[in-house]
Amino acid sequence: MSETKTSKDVLEMIEKENVEIVDLRFMDFPGLWQHFSVPVREIEESTFEEGLGFDGSSIRGWQAINESDMLVKPVPETAFIDPFFAAKTLVMTCNICDPITGEDYSRDPRNIARKAANYLKNSGIGETSYFGPEAEFFIFDDIRFDQNEHEGYYHIDSVEGRWNTGRIEGPNLGYKPRYKEGYFPVPPADSQQDIRSEMVLTMEKIGIATEAQHHEVATGGQAEIDMRFSPLVEMADNLLKYKYVIKNVARKYNKTVTFMPKPLFNDNGSGMHVHISIWKEGQNLFAGDGYAGMSEMAMYAIGGLLKHAPAVLAFTNPTTNSYKRLVPGFEAPVNLAYSQRNRSAAVRIPMYSMSPKSKRIEFRCPDPSCNPYLAFSAMLMAAIDGIKNKIDPGDPLDKDIYDLPPEELAKVPQTPGSLRAVLEALETDHQFLLIGDVFTLDVIETWIDYKMTREVREIDLRPHPWEFALYYDI
């Protein structure tokens, strides 16, 4: 877990490290890290309480122009030295506040995550929720895309791409992972060991504990780096640093990274399986003597996740592209069931160890396009609702779901098939998110409106290249 720092510690760090610039970062509503920088003289002890002003109307999904002034308040324990800038730069994640009321801003995603963590404590159910996301991504060599009134295309390239086995490369060495066979060949088929190792070592230098790195299933440079679990807010902070490091190390190698869930047709997409547990007084409350070594509380948490999954997916799988991954046949968990070991279920209970400390549930639906503050908060609130209301998850499904006969499979509920569908599910099922004022009605309505207007309808308006293959000669 991160080292606790005070404002005095940060000021001492600035002096000791000869810091020249302080970079202040925060999360916009849809899920991109934002920043601005100030000279070190602008950071005093009072800055941590009083904050610094900026224009909130320019941030996606935030304030109107007539109420644009906002404050960033740096969080001391998030401080780290940036490993990429030329000038010595100290980075801090910030909370967002209203300059008139002084209150935390309700649409600040980090504020929502903080409220979710506090709600768990105040509920008496547990003290800490731990999250462990396994984010996958692609490392490409080239990406081109455009769409206008008379054309639309994308072009992806990777020296690892199986589609390049016949390309003249002077010489083409031929070591290119086959489609769906990128997990785990050694080099030279895996050409990205060094770049992933540099990503891992850079993360470790800025305080992110990692557990493993490897090539993933797809051709074309799919990868995964796993972080050690952390409390909800800290893990969301870390996931932003994780993406930042991965993208910038790739750029050093003149490569580009995407966390899009499904950039390649007909090969595996990038998911983000998320491990969850709830602890109190040093005890893992999900450990027990029930199914797969789980407690009754854990089973109710699973019940809540499965019941509310269609609405939760509006935050954990929040792009139109997400639903090109969530289709049968690519290890994607489209079936709302739970099981031990079974990776074709939406909720899996890992069986690597029977130690009480390691017992957890793994929600396999999410993908790394999400805003982690909102995604983790929605997952926790669904689990808490299951625990409070003793929602029975039903019987486990310890079979390969994709091999079930049609009459059995028809009885297994499935995830919605589009962003529009999960937003509609959120519209009808969001009361569990409003408990404790964690999500507000304004946040829910703004999220649905933003996604529908800026993404769903914009995709609806544009012809798809494959439509020409299907319909041009009609």
Side-chain angles (χ1 to χ4, degrees), residues 4 27 37 50 57 69 167-168 221 239 267 275 287 304 315 381:
T4 300
M27 192 63 145
S37 300
E50 297 172 4
S57 69
D69 291 347
R167 184 170 69 175
I168 297 172
L239 189 55
D267 208 340
H275 298 255
F315 295 107
M381 294 302 287

Side-chain angles (χ1 to χ4, degrees), residues 141-415:
D141 290 279
D142 190 56
I143 175 68
R144 292 181 287 118
F145 53 90
D146 197 9
Q147 180 141 21
N148 53 47
E149 285 74 13
H150 73 101
E151 63 181 354
Y153 68 90
Y154 66 88
H155 180 84
I156 296 167
D157 207 4
S158 166
V159 70
E160 269 201 2
R162 188 66 179 176
W163 57 86
N164 280 326
T165 54
R167 184 170 69 175
I168 297 172
E169 294 182 347
N172 187 325
L173 302 180
Y175 294 109
K176 302 179 191 299
R178 298 175 186 89
Y179 296 106
K180 303 187 187 182
E181 293 187 24
Y183 192 93
F184 290 156
V186 298
D190 176 4
S191 67
Q192 297 178 342
Q193 172 72 13
D194 288 341
I195 187 171
R196 292 194 309 270
S197 290
E198 185 168 336
M199 291 168 178
V200 165
L201 294 173
T202 305
M203 288 183 206
E204 293 279 347
K205 285 177 184 175
I206 65 170
I208 300 175
T210 58
E211 293 186 332
Q213 62 96 337
H214 57 82
H215 203 288
E216 256 299 337
V217 174
T219 192
Q222 192 182 31
E224 177 177 316
I225 298 174
D226 297 333
M227 294 179 281
R228 182 168 173 77
F229 64 88
S230 293
L232 188 157
V233 178
E234 182 180 332
M235 180 49 79
D237 289 342
N238 283 347
L239 189 55
L240 302 189
K241 292 193 281 187
Y242 172 99
K243 287 187 171 185
Y244 177 73
V245 166
I246 286 169
K247 289 178 180 179
N248 281 283
V249 170
R251 189 180 180 191
K252 274 181 60 179
Y253 285 77
N254 204 30
K255 294 181 184 290
T256 178
V257 160
T258 184
F259 289 91
M260 273 181 69
K262 189 71 170 181
L264 293 184
F265 166 64
N266 218 24
D267 208 340
N268 283 46
S270 293
M272 189 179 75
H273 309 145
V274 182
H275 298 255
I276 316 164
S277 60
I278 294 176
W279 291 59
K280 187 174 184 179
E281 297 176 355
Q283 299 297 313
N284 182 0
L285 302 183
F286 278 9
D289 56 6
Y291 173 80
M294 303 298 279
S295 66
E296 187 177 55
M297 177 187 287
M299 301 312 293
Y300 290 145
I302 292 171
L305 266 175
L306 293 177
K307 175 184 176 181
H308 296 297
V312 170
L313 262 60
F315 295 107
T316 61
N317 302 70
T319 69
T320 59
N321 187 253
S322 298
Y323 299 89
K324 292 176 171 60
R325 166 186 167 257
L326 278 184
V327 295
F330 292 88
E331 296 185 9
V334 297
N335 297 285
L336 295 176
Y338 75 97
S339 173
Q340 61 180 342
R341 306 178 69 177
N342 193 338
R343 295 172 188 267
S344 59
V347 175
R348 186 177 75 97
I349 300 169
M351 299 299 289
Y352 299 121
S353 169
M354 291 303 290
S355 165
K357 289 187 175 182
S358 69
K359 300 314 293 184
R360 60 198 187 272
I361 59 179
E362 178 191 47
F363 190 41
R364 294 178 62 80
C365 295
D367 67 55
S369 70
C370 68
N371 181 327
Y373 297 112
L374 303 182
F376 297 163
S377 299
M379 292 165 60
L380 178 61
M381 294 302 287
I384 291 174
D385 188 66
I387 293 166
K388 287 177 63 178
N389 293 296
K390 298 184 177 180
I391 298 173
D392 185 353
D395 295 328
L397 194 56
D398 291 331
K399 303 175 184 177
D400 186 340
I401 295 173
Y402 298 129
D403 284 342
L404 286 179
E407 60 273 13
E408 267 193 78
L409 187 60
K411 298 175 184 176
V412 181
Q414 293 196 331
T415 57

